[in-house]
């Protein structure tokens, strides 16, 4: 396995993070499984060397001693002497999920860590399904938080909810144009806006590019949200604010990420697949798509940057601060 096994580990792959699992624990578990796979290969046969051993002369009755050339194994490189060949791997984590959330979590191994920064600089959108529950409010917007208020919700209808979601999407689309600093008077910028290709050129507040209701059965409702620069707490707060707009209250019972950039749930490895061969295969399958999508999106970002003029600085200001310290190798 050795160097050949490590060579096939450079790149990006997606995992499915279950709720209740911290992203650091997931990363450390993946690292442990990869190290176990890399060190599980059969060690090569030990090298032989010639040594002269002292022994009696055959057939001698006088118990004479002589030196005899003998081939013996060299044990300096034996795993029981040297220890495991691989003791740590550098693994980076992309856009994080908090402990309560679940869904697609992208990891980068080796040189793939630099691709995580490229993903961050490309300002790709992410998809979530967000479960809401009408009729109560908590201190942290989560269903299991400390209850602070209970309300009625009989007056809430699907039409009222859809109307509020349309208002939210419209206001965020205006904010997206503002944070992109585009001059929509130019034809190129207008065409990008029509195609939905406008992106902020730097860090911004949470921006929602699309939101709709997938299921409505009071007190429960399910939203699909496309957004960027979000945190899961902000998504839970969004559910709370929707409840207030509906003249009631609402809490978030679950947040699940279904897409992170060009990785979807179909790409995400389940916990039973966090082994060396499955991860190697996932990296190799994703590599061509990762290269093509990053090239396209980063070129799009640079093209948008040119619309601002020579004084604008955006996507290439250095590594993402959100990625600093997200490498494994024994330390978080």
């Amino acid at each position: 396995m050795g160097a050949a096994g490590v060579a096939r580990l450079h790149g990006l792959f997606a995992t499915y993070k279950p709720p209740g699992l911290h992203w650091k624990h997931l990363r450390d578990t993946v690292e442990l499984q990869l190290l176990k796979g890399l060190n599980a290969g059969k060690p090569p046969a030990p090298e032989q060397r010639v040594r002269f051993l002292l022994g009696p002369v055959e057939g001698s009755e006088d118990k004479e001693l002589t030196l005899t050339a003998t081939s013996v194994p060299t044990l300096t490189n034996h795993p029981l002497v040297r220890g495991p060949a691989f003791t740590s791997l550098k693994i980076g984590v992309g856009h994080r999920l908090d402990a309560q959330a679940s869904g697609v979590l992208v990891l980068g191994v080796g040189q793939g860590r630099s691709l995580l920064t490229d993903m961050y600089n490309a300002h790709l959108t992410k998809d979530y399904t967000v479960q809401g529950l009408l009729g109560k409010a908590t201190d942290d917007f989560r269903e299991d938080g400390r209850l602070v208020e209970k309300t009625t919700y009989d007056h809430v209808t699907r039409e009222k909810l859809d109307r509020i979601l349309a208002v939210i999407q419209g206001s965020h689309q205006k904010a997206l144009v503002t944070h992109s600093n585009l001059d929509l008077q130019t034809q190129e910028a207008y065409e990008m806006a029509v195609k939905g290709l406008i992106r902020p050129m730097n860090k911004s507040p949470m921006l929602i590019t699309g939101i709709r209701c997938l299921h409505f059965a009071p007190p429960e409702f399910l939203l699909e949200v496309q957004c960027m620069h979000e945190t899961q707490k902000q998504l839970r707060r969004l559910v709370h604010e929707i409840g207030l707009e509906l003249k009631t209250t609402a809490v978030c019972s679950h947040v699940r990420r279904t897409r992170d950039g060009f990785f979807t749930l179909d790409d995400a490895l389940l916990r039973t697949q966090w082994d060396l061969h499955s991860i190697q295969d996932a990296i190799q399958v994703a590599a061509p798509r990762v290269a093509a999508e990053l090239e396209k999106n980063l070129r799009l970002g640079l093209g948008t940057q040119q619309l601002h003029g020579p004084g604008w600085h955006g996507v290439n200001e250095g590594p993402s601060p959100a990625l600093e310290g997200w490498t494994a190798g024994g330390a978080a």
Side-chain angles (χ1 to χ4, degrees):
M1 186 63 66
V6 174
R8 296 186 64 226
L9 280 176
H10 291 290
L12 299 181
F13 67 100
T15 61
Y16 185 87
K17 190 191 88 65
L21 181 69
H22 197 282
W23 65 266
K24 288 184 179 180
H25 182 68
L26 185 151
R27 182 199 63 188
D28 293 344
T29 301
V30 168
E31 181 188 13
L32 181 63
Q33 291 299 110
L34 290 178
L35 291 173
K36 186 182 297 184
L38 290 171
N39 289 317
K42 184 179 179 180
E47 297 180 359
Q48 301 289 320
R49 67 174 182 176
V50 176
R51 293 192 61 184
F52 291 92
L53 302 180
L54 191 64
V57 178
E58 293 184 8
S60 173
E61 297 180 358
D62 298 331
K63 297 183 180 180
E64 295 181 6
L65 298 178
T66 185
L67 292 175
T68 306
T70 307
S71 179
V72 297
T74 301
L75 299 179
T76 54
N77 290 325
H78 194 283
L80 295 178
V81 177
R82 184 191 57 190
F86 300 93
T87 57
S88 67
L89 287 173
K90 293 189 177 297
I91 301 178
V93 181
H95 299 105
R96 290 181 288 181
L97 287 168
D98 62 28
Q100 294 76 31
S102 64
V104 179
L105 183 68
V106 179
L107 303 181
V109 185
Q111 298 171 4
R113 292 178 301 151
S114 64
L115 299 178
L116 291 174
T117 304
D118 291 338
M119 279 190 68
Y120 184 86
N121 289 336
H123 301 282
L124 303 173
T125 59
K126 297 176 283 297
D127 291 358
Y128 290 86
T129 54
V130 182
Q131 183 84 38
L133 189 67
L134 296 168
K136 65 179 183 178
T138 60
D139 59 342
D140 58 1
F141 317 121
R142 291 165 43 196
E143 183 182 10
D144 57 355
R146 183 174 62 85
L147 183 67
V148 296
E149 185 180 5
K150 295 188 72 173
T151 55
T152 60
Y153 52 85
D154 296 340
H155 61 284
V156 178
T157 64
R158 174 70 179 261
E159 290 72 23
K160 290 181 180 179
L161 176 59
D162 288 338
R163 196 178 307 125
I164 289 173
L165 298 183
V167 171
I168 292 174
Q169 181 168 326
S171 63
H172 277 260
Q173 286 176 341
K174 291 180 181 178
L176 177 59
V177 174
T178 300
H179 285 284
S180 67
N181 287 351
L182 282 177
D183 181 7
L184 292 182
Q185 301 300 319
T186 63
Q187 181 64 27
E188 188 175 2
Y190 174 77
E191 291 176 356
M192 291 177 62
V194 170
K195 296 177 182 178
L197 299 178
I198 293 181
R199 305 223 178 108
M201 287 294 96
N202 213 331
K203 186 64 177 174
S204 70
M206 179 178 73
L207 295 172
I208 296 174
T209 59
I211 183 170
R212 65 188 180 114
C213 180
L214 297 178
H215 180 68
F216 183 76
E220 296 182 348
F221 61 93
L222 182 66
L223 304 179
E224 181 183 61
V225 184
Q226 291 92 38
C227 54
M228 60 182 71
H229 299 171
E230 79 295 336
T231 66
Q232 289 75 59
K233 185 174 182 179
Q234 288 173 323
L235 292 172
R236 297 185 184 99
R237 178 187 287 273
L238 175 66
V239 172
H240 168 76
E241 293 173 349
I242 290 173
L244 296 180
E245 291 294 329
L246 290 169
K247 303 298 188 290
T248 182
T249 53
V251 293
C252 181
S253 56
H254 190 66
V255 175
R256 183 171 80 146
R257 182 190 289 161
T258 58
R259 181 180 63 86
D260 185 354
F262 35 80
F263 286 99
T264 67
L265 286 174
D266 292 336
D267 304 309
L269 299 179
L270 301 178
R271 192 162 191 166
T272 55
Q273 299 171 303
W274 298 350
D275 59 81
L276 177 63
H277 295 296
S278 297
I279 292 174
Q280 285 176 329
D281 292 342
I283 289 175
Q284 299 304 311
V285 169
R289 177 160 47 97
V290 168
E293 291 289 339
L294 284 179
E295 181 183 4
K296 179 179 71 175
N297 284 281
L298 290 175
R299 190 191 317 117
L300 172 64
L302 291 173
T304 307
Q305 180 180 337
Q306 293 172 359
L307 298 179
H308 300 282
W312 175 259
H313 298 282
V315 297
N316 293 321
E317 292 181 342
S320 157
L323 295 174
E324 292 179 1
W326 293 10
T327 56

